[in-house]
Amino acid sequence: MTGDRDERALIAEWREILAVHARTACEIDRALHRYGLGASDFEVLDVLAGGDAEDGCTFRVQELADRVHLSQSALSRLVARLEKDGLVDRGICSEDRRGVRVAITESGRARYEEARPSHRAVLERMLPKGALAAH
């Protein structure tokens, strides 16, 4: 093994990363429950609310899948549920009739803005300061 870390230290560090992720995801789910959202729901709304898509307001489903780290099929089910709840709109891509674009609705933006402080508070509390900066 190369580098200054031995295999045990590397595995221990990996397991700690997984543990922090699991604990943080559970805390996020708990905090967002009162807003009718789960962690993945919020992540989709967070990306959509950021509006940094190519056209500034909508994302192709594949673009979202890449950003929220879900399979395209899992994301499609999640987006369908968010659409049913009135938080997003889906439509056919004008440039590619096979593609689907997703946009946040006004209701979705309101719910996102309401839930965002709770989400950010969990991140602030659960994530070690500067942990990723060291890597």
Side-chain angles (χ1 to χ4, degrees), residues 4-64:
D4 55 1
R5 295 183 292 182
D6 68 16
E7 185 175 357
R8 285 185 187 159
L10 185 64
I11 296 304
E13 185 175 353
W14 171 242
R15 288 187 179 140
E16 180 56 26
I17 289 168
L18 291 175
V20 168
H21 176 269
R23 287 190 305 265
T24 304
C26 286
E27 287 294 315
I28 287 172
D29 276 333
R30 271 194 279 277
L32 296 178
H33 180 74
R34 68 175 166 236
Y35 304 102
L37 299 171
S40 293
D41 303 330
F42 184 86
E43 287 302 317
V44 168
L45 295 177
D46 196 40
V47 170
L48 293 172
D52 58 350
E54 288 176 19
D55 67 1
C57 64
T58 64
F59 283 83
R60 294 175 67 109
V61 171
Q62 185 55 52
E63 291 174 303
L64 276 175

Side-chain angles (χ1 to χ4, degrees), residues 5-135:
R5 295 183 292 182
D6 68 16
E7 185 175 357
R8 285 185 187 159
L10 185 64
I11 296 304
E13 185 175 353
W14 171 242
R15 288 187 179 140
E16 180 56 26
I17 289 168
L18 291 175
V20 168
H21 176 269
R23 287 190 305 265
T24 304
C26 286
E27 287 294 315
I28 287 172
D29 276 333
R30 271 194 279 277
L32 296 178
H33 180 74
R34 68 175 166 236
Y35 304 102
L37 299 171
S40 293
D41 303 330
F42 184 86
E43 287 302 317
V44 168
L45 295 177
D46 196 40
V47 170
L48 293 172
D52 58 350
E54 288 176 19
D55 67 1
C57 64
T58 64
F59 283 83
R60 294 175 67 109
V61 171
Q62 185 55 52
E63 291 174 303
L64 276 175
D66 292 344
R67 291 174 187 244
V68 298
H69 309 291
L70 292 173
S71 69
Q72 198 161 350
S73 62
L75 179 63
S76 291
R77 289 188 301 274
L78 188 149
V79 167
R81 191 175 70 249
L82 293 175
E83 183 181 35
K84 182 176 170 238
D85 292 344
L87 303 179
V88 302
D89 283 327
R90 284 189 292 182
I92 301 299
C93 295
S94 57
E95 68 277 5
D96 175 4
R97 307 296 291 166
R98 295 170 297 158
V100 174
R101 288 207 167 271
V102 181
I104 194 168
T105 63
E106 286 305 313
S107 178
R109 189 170 298 280
R111 177 96 53 97
Y112 165 76
E113 291 297 338
E114 185 182 15
R116 187 170 58 144
S118 294
H119 177 267
R120 299 307 197 251
V122 170
L123 294 181
E124 188 69 33
R125 187 176 74 250
M126 298 296 294
L127 298 180
K129 303 274 188 278
L132 293 178
H135 298 282

